[in-house]
Amino acid sequence: MKVVINADACTGQGRCFGIAPELFDFDDLGNGVVKGDGTVTTELVEKARLAEANCPEHAISIEE
Amino acid sequence: MSHTKPLVEDFATDFDHADPQWVSNPYPIWEDLRTRCPVAHTDRYGGAWFPATHELVSRVAKDTENFTSRSVVMSNLRPTDEDLPAPIGIAPPITSDPPFHAIARRLVLPAFSPGVVNALEPQIRALCNRLLDDMGDAAVVNGGTQFAQYIPVGVIQQMLGFPLEDIEMFLQIVIDVLDSIDSSAEERQATADKNRAYFEKQIQDHVDNPRDDFTTYLLNAEIAGGKLELDHVIGTMVLTLVAGIDTTWSAISSSLWHLAQNPDDLARLVNEPELMDVAVEEFLRFYAPVTMARLVAKDHDFNGCPMKKDDWVLLGFPAANRDPEVFEDADKFIIDRRENRHVAFGLGIHRCAGSNLARLELKVAIQEFIKRYPTFTLENPSEVTFSPGQVRGARNLPIRVK
């Protein structure tokens, strides 16, 4: 499982790195970026799902 | 002035966000509009529309072709094409449209990025504690006028590097811009001129004495190798002051208003501090303070409504946050709501540039208030007042703390 951010849709709402700092970081403009290659380990599945479900811009997707 | 205006009888055809009914409790009005319209209209303010659903609010927010941000505060002073100091707008980047918007926004975002903002946490916490200390051991305190309003104004005063003794004046500037929507165009212009003179004085002081603050940052910033025009610097300073104060103040005071009336929620926050992050998002959803505005850029049909160039559109993010199509039990405050795609900070390219700072201030303010006062209740609920206009929050908020 991987998390992906659609950079065209992200406006820097800040929810993903607030909910799952293990999976997401921010750039110098405050936009969300995926850490590493976005691989979600078992213990982070719930956080990945919540990050996706809380993005107001629908910019996050989860690839199985 | 407002007392001469007729009260609204039908919000679908004659809405007014300064009407006493809308100011005191807009939520049933929005619910009614969602099912009946869902785009309301009024001839007031020279003609305006109000889409009441999440879907339509989202469409307007993301459509910068048909809607311009040239003015984002709906009032009787409607800028014409000639008034526009193109391409900057009066308060960039919030009043800028593409393509200049991206340039103006890129310039300010680094100053409000999470990394920069998070470093302010100790100073915000200290400010909250100073305000709580100042309340002494009073049994009844004012959560609005003694606490909430002074947190963002203190943060912004330090950020802009303005004199501490001018804090009361900043509050007045904010009220002039946002709350006095029923003032005449002439009155609003006179206030704008007075405020500009103040900003020019502060800028001169920073030119003479550069220091490490946001004002100096703006004075040093460059676009395409040139310094910013004075109008740009002043516009962004006005934006920081106006958008950074009333909004966060409102979010803090409305959250305290909620906790003062909901002892179960207060007890959970006190006993389960790990809930704070999700609780903050629910406060933001349920009590979203900010409604934006747009002007229609060109005649077009919007969801069956014949929108004309220069009509206002009131952009109700707080209404979108109560749309049952998007939120389960939308009209219920659920302190541990885990899935909460709220739009309190807007949507699209104009997402609130200060959202990271606002969220931090709200969180720290609630944390420190409930640490000092683990139980509290509303004193005289009938005395609580809410601000009129596009930024909604509790103003007078008497709270019994012991």
Side-chain angles (χ1 to χ4, degrees):
Chain A
M1 184 193 260
K2 274 188 177 186
V3 284
V4 179
I5 291 181
N6 174 358
D8 291 335
C10 175
T11 62
Q13 295 268 356
R15 302 296 299 283
C16 58
F17 50 80
I19 290 168
E22 303 89 343
L23 296 169
F24 301 95
D25 204 346
F26 50 84
D27 64 17
D28 65 338
L29 298 179
N31 288 329
V33 288
V34 169
K35 276 189 173 173
D37 68 354
T39 299
V40 180
T41 53
T42 317
E43 68 276 15
L44 291 175
V45 168
E46 175 66 7
K47 280 194 175 187
R49 205 184 58 76
L50 282 174
E52 186 280 325
N54 279 281
C55 177
E57 309 284 2
H58 294 264
I60 294 172
S61 53
I62 294 177
E63 293 176 353
E64 299 294 338
Chain B
M1 298 303 287
S2 56
H3 59 270
T4 63
K5 282 209 294 192
L7 294 175
V8 172
E9 285 177 18
D10 183 0
F11 282 91
T13 56
D14 184 35
F15 78 85
D16 189 337
H17 62 320
D19 186 83
Q21 201 186 329
W22 181 300
V23 172
S24 68
N25 187 12
Y27 306 107
I29 299 172
W30 297 342
E31 192 184 346
D32 174 53
L33 294 177
R34 261 195 300 275
T35 49
R36 243 179 351 128
C37 297
V39 183
H41 183 263
T42 186
D43 287 329
R44 300 180 191 220
Y45 306 98
W49 304 90
F50 178 77
T53 64
H54 182 285
E55 185 199 347
L56 295 179
V57 166
S58 180
R59 252 174 68 188
V60 174
K62 293 183 178 188
D63 182 352
T64 55
E65 289 288 317
N66 286 305
F67 302 98
T68 167
S69 288
R70 209 164 68 222
S71 180
V72 293
V73 180
M74 182 168 113
S75 73
N76 295 314
L77 178 56
R78 178 197 307 259
T80 66
D81 286 352
E82 289 72 44
D83 290 334
L84 172 67
I88 297 169
I90 16 182
I94 202 172
T95 54
S96 314
D97 288 326
F100 183 77
H101 166 268
I103 298 167
R105 186 168 168 90
R106 176 166 281 275
L107 204 104
V108 298
L109 282 181
F112 293 94
S113 82
V116 171
V117 160
N118 290 343
L120 301 176
E121 183 172 334
Q123 114 187 25
I124 298 171
R125 218 170 275 286
L127 171 62
C128 291
N129 277 294
R130 272 202 306 281
L131 294 169
L132 291 165
D133 291 346
D134 287 347
M135 294 176 189
D137 56 1
V140 176
V141 302
N142 200 303
T145 57
Q146 284 184 287
F147 186 68
Q149 74 171 5
Y150 286 112
I151 296 165
V153 79
V155 171
I156 298 292
Q157 170 261 326
Q158 290 182 37
M159 187 175 246
L160 286 171
F162 285 5
L164 181 59
E165 59 270 23
D166 290 350
I167 274 188
E168 295 297 335
M169 201 195 63
F170 301 158
L171 289 171
Q172 194 54 50
I173 290 178
V174 171
I175 289 164
D176 285 342
V177 175
L178 292 171
D179 286 8
S180 56
I181 44 178
D182 281 329
S183 304
S184 67
E186 293 74 24
E187 284 171 315
R188 287 184 68 86
Q189 191 57 53
T191 304
D193 292 345
K194 188 188 76 187
N195 293 344
R196 186 184 172 91
Y198 175 76
F199 283 106
E200 285 182 0
K201 188 176 136 207
Q202 294 307 325
I203 287 173
Q204 192 53 50
D205 181 52
H206 279 77
V207 170
D208 298 339
N209 309 288
R211 43 207 192 255
D212 182 19
D213 58 29
F214 189 55
T215 301
T216 299
Y217 172 89
L218 288 174
L219 290 171
N220 290 336
E222 293 186 354
I223 292 178
K227 291 279 169 62
L228 304 190
E229 290 176 38
L230 183 63
D231 281 342
H232 189 152
V233 174
I234 292 180
T236 300
M237 289 165 80
V238 172
L239 170 61
T240 308
L241 200 66
V242 172
I245 293 178
D246 204 16
T247 51
T248 312
W249 156 18
S250 295
I252 296 169
S253 60
S254 295
S255 302
L256 294 178
W257 180 69
H258 176 92
L259 291 173
Q261 299 172 92
N262 293 276
D264 293 349
D265 285 341
L266 175 55
R268 279 200 73 184
L269 271 192
V270 170
N271 297 324
E272 301 169 59
E274 68 281 4
L275 266 187
M276 188 56 78
D277 286 337
V278 281
V280 160
E281 302 306 329
E282 182 67 344
F283 283 125
L284 286 167
R285 181 188 76 87
F286 208 72
Y287 297 108
V290 182
T291 293
M292 289 306 302
R294 298 284 187 266
L295 289 166
V296 175
K298 51 191 172 199
D299 293 2
H300 71 284
D301 179 278
F302 179 84
N303 203 58
C305 302
M307 294 194 170
K308 298 280 175 227
K309 182 175 185 304
D310 291 339
D311 284 350
W312 292 103
V313 178
L314 208 49
L315 197 46
F317 295 113
N321 277 350
R322 299 288 190 112
D323 188 341
E325 288 289 316
V326 178
F327 301 95
E328 213 172 302
D329 292 321
D331 266 327
K332 258 167 88 180
F333 182 96
I334 300 173
I335 199 158
D336 56 359
R337 188 186 286 270
R338 300 273 164 192
E339 295 189 11
N340 190 349
R341 227 186 270 274
H342 73 77
V343 293
F345 293 118
L347 281 169
I349 63 166
H350 288 284
R351 185 268 306 167
C352 170
S355 62
N356 301 298
L357 179 59
R359 187 176 268 128
L360 177 65
E361 288 180 44
L362 176 58
K363 176 179 165 174
V364 170
I366 299 172
Q367 280 175 333
E368 294 306 314
F369 196 90
I370 67 174
K371 193 194 283 177
R372 186 73 58 107
Y373 305 120
T375 57
F376 56 90
T377 53
L378 262 195
E379 176 82 354
N380 295 331
S382 62
E383 283 180 16
V384 174
T385 55
F386 282 85
S387 51
Q390 285 178 234
V391 182
R392 182 174 198 273
R395 286 290 176 269
N396 184 45
L397 183 60
I399 291 177
R400 175 163 292 277
V401 293
K402 62 175 75 162

